[in-house]
Amino acid sequence: MKKRHEQKLIILSIGLMIAFSIPISLIFNSEKSVLGYPMILIYLFTVWMISIVISFVIVKKYDE
């Protein structure tokens, strides 16, 4: 894997650290719910799923 692709994964990791930080996560800690699930769970699992897809695309597309 080339250096620039590793850099993309590092940027993704830093973005995830920010997205999962307590102040950002607590923004979604409310009484609202989507399909019966609290907003905090929807937020956490959505960010987690998106990060898996992005990392898969980076690794699959640029695997050499």
Side-chain angles (χ1 to χ4, degrees):
M1 187 175 298
K2 292 185 179 181
K3 191 73 167 174
R4 61 186 162 155
H5 309 308
E6 292 175 3
Q7 291 173 351
K8 290 178 184 179
L9 292 174
I10 291 172
I11 290 172
L12 177 65
S13 299
I14 292 170
L16 285 174
M17 285 180 13
I18 293 170
F20 286 133
S21 68
I22 297 297
I24 303 298
S25 296
L26 287 179
I27 292 173
F28 296 94
N29 192 15
S30 65
E31 296 297 322
K32 296 179 184 177
S33 62
V34 175
L35 300 173
Y37 296 105
M39 282 297 293
I40 187 99
L41 287 178
I42 299 295
Y43 169 73
L44 292 175
F45 284 111
T46 302
V47 169
W48 184 35
M49 184 174 33
I50 290 171
S51 69
I52 290 171
V53 170
I54 290 173
S55 61
F56 176 77
V57 167
I58 291 172
V59 169
K60 191 70 172 171
K61 185 176 181 182
Y62 300 115
D63 190 25
E64 296 173 349

